[in-house]
């Protein structure tokens, strides 16, 4: 089994556009290649949106060099991009956006949701692209809740949604540029679970809610904290001290330089300057994003 390397925690909440509260769980600015190929994880909410007829969210902004993965746990988000594409991300849906060579988009609460208001909670993950793929064409994968495979655990211990990679013989629908496992897990109190992770992989556990213990250790993971596991060994065994909701992220590290600035993550500073120059001279959008539906 993999052992726990360390627990990483941030407690400062801030705003991103009209989204509040936002918790920066981790970023490459803090942890560098330790979490490669994963760059950043933000937890938006849990919160409550007051009904309004005004647009709320993040206005149009660029991305280049990586992928964003948006998990919608509560509420409803509308996505629109510079190519005219977009759609509604509803409760339980996941949107996997490969920015790659360049996307301009906005993310706002949907008109129906902002008018009625209510609870919202979402998580956004940034996944790095290998250098050879950073300037490939952008694409969207709309992974609808009902199309994401679910595994019911024995003894009513909980459920696992397989978003990318594999759990047992079940494969997730997300297409990825490098082998990645992304699991959305609900584990009931006093139940244990062995999660897949390979030798040499970066393996992260983010606990949205609850409390878990690493079965072979005394360490506890409290809610809204991140566990970084050792790259040695295989699999991770956990026990839920309380009913728990968590994400498992596992994948082979890229082993490449990371040079990021704001919405761009490339391999060197010259590529960052090129991104800004492309925007200035209207060369940023090279191809329209391709929409892939499951």
């Amino acid at each position: 089994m993999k052992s726990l390397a360390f627990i990483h925690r941030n407690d400062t909440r801030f705003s991103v556009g009209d989204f509040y509260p936002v918790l920066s769980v981790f970023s490459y600015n803090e942890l560098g290649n330790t979490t490669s190929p994963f760059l950043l994880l933000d937890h938006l909410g849990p919160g409550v949106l007051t009904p309004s007829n005004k647009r709320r969210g993040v206005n149009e902004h660029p991305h280049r060099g990586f992928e964003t993965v948006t998990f919608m746990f509560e509420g409803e988000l509308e996505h629109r991009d510079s190519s005219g594409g977009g759609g509604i991300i509803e409760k339980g849906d996941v949107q996997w956006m490969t920015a790659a060579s360049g996307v301009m988009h906005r993310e706002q609460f949907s008109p129906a949701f902002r008018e009625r208001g209510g609870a919202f909670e979402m998580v956004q993950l940034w996944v790095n692209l290998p250098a050879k793929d950073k300037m490939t064409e952008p694409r969207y994968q709309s992974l609808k809740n009902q199309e994401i495979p679910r595994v019911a655990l024995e003894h009513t211990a909980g459920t696992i949604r397989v978003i990318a990679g594999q759990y047992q013989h079940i494969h997730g629908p997300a297409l990825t540029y490098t082998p990645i496992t992304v699991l959305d897990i609900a584990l009931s109190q006093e139940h244990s679970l062995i999660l897949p992770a390979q030798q040499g992989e970066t393996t992260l556990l983010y606990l949205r809610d609850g409390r878990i213990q690493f079965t072979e250790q005394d360490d506890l993971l409290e809610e809204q904290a991140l566990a970084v596991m050792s790259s040695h060994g295989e699999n991770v065994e956990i026990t839920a001290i309380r009913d728990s909701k968590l994400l498992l992220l596992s994948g082979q590290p890229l082993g490449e330089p990371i040079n990021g600035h704001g919405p761009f993550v490339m391999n060197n500073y010259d590529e960052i300057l090129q991104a800004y120059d492309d925007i200035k001279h209207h060369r940023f959008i090279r191809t329209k994003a391709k929409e892939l539906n499951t």
Side-chain angles (χ1 to χ4, degrees), residues 5-47:
F6 63 91
I7 291 174
H8 179 75
R9 185 178 190 96
N10 285 325
D11 291 313
T12 302
R13 269 66 175 174
F14 57 96
S15 296
V16 176
D18 295 320
F19 296 130
Y20 180 85
V22 179
L23 170 67
S24 175
V25 179
F26 76 88
S27 77
Y28 63 91
N29 289 317
E30 302 166 283
L31 300 181
N33 265 309
T34 302
T35 58
S36 177
F38 309 106
L39 291 167
L40 173 152
L41 190 73
D42 283 346
H43 188 171
L44 293 77

Side-chain angles (χ1 to χ4, degrees), residues 33-230:
N33 265 309
T34 302
T35 58
S36 177
F38 309 106
L39 291 167
L40 173 152
L41 190 73
D42 283 346
H43 188 171
L44 293 77
V48 176
L49 180 69
T50 303
S52 172
N53 58 7
K54 295 182 180 179
R55 288 183 176 179
R56 294 186 181 181
V58 178
N59 291 324
E60 190 172 76
H61 58 283
H63 287 303
R64 175 179 281 181
F66 61 99
E67 304 179 286
T68 68
V69 185
T70 302
F71 307 81
M72 202 73 200
F73 295 111
E74 292 285 349
E76 200 170 85
L77 199 66
E78 181 182 38
H79 161 265
R80 293 291 171 192
D81 70 67
S82 49
S83 71
I88 303 296
I89 310 171
E90 300 177 312
K91 179 179 178 178
D93 293 350
V94 176
Q95 185 199 62
W96 200 295
M97 184 188 85
T98 304
S101 62
V103 163
M104 297 282 290
H105 77 147
R106 68 172 187 257
E107 300 156 292
Q108 297 175 330
F109 291 116
S110 71
F113 181 66
R114 70 173 184 253
E115 286 176 10
R116 71 175 183 268
F120 71 87
E121 181 182 7
M122 54 190 131
V123 167
Q124 187 168 95
L125 168 70
W126 289 13
V127 181
N128 205 2
L129 288 171
K132 65 182 181 62
D133 296 316
K134 282 187 176 290
M135 294 300 288
T136 193
E137 67 176 11
R139 72 184 183 195
Y140 294 99
Q141 299 176 74
S142 298
L143 310 178
K144 295 299 182 182
N145 183 34
Q146 65 271 19
E147 297 162 346
I148 297 173
R150 283 173 171 75
V151 178
L153 301 175
E154 294 182 348
H155 311 299
T156 64
T159 59
I160 294 179
R161 296 201 307 159
V162 187
I163 295 164
Q166 182 177 350
Y167 178 75
Q168 297 178 350
H169 62 284
I170 304 298
H171 293 264
L175 302 176
T176 64
Y177 281 84
T178 57
I180 292 171
T181 300
V182 178
L183 305 179
D184 177 24
I185 303 156
L187 186 61
S188 299
Q189 183 175 342
E190 297 182 354
H191 286 275
S192 297
L193 179 63
I194 296 177
L195 295 167
Q198 302 303 312
Q199 171 76 24
E201 285 188 342
T202 296
T203 303
L204 312 175
L205 294 176
Y206 175 58
L207 186 61
R208 288 171 46 219
D209 185 50
R211 178 184 290 174
I212 63 172
Q213 182 174 21
F214 296 94
T215 307
E216 296 182 350
Q217 302 171 245
D218 294 330
D219 298 275
L220 292 177
L221 183 64
E222 304 288 351
E223 65 183 22
Q224 300 189 347
L226 179 81
V228 179
M229 308 305 296
S230 169

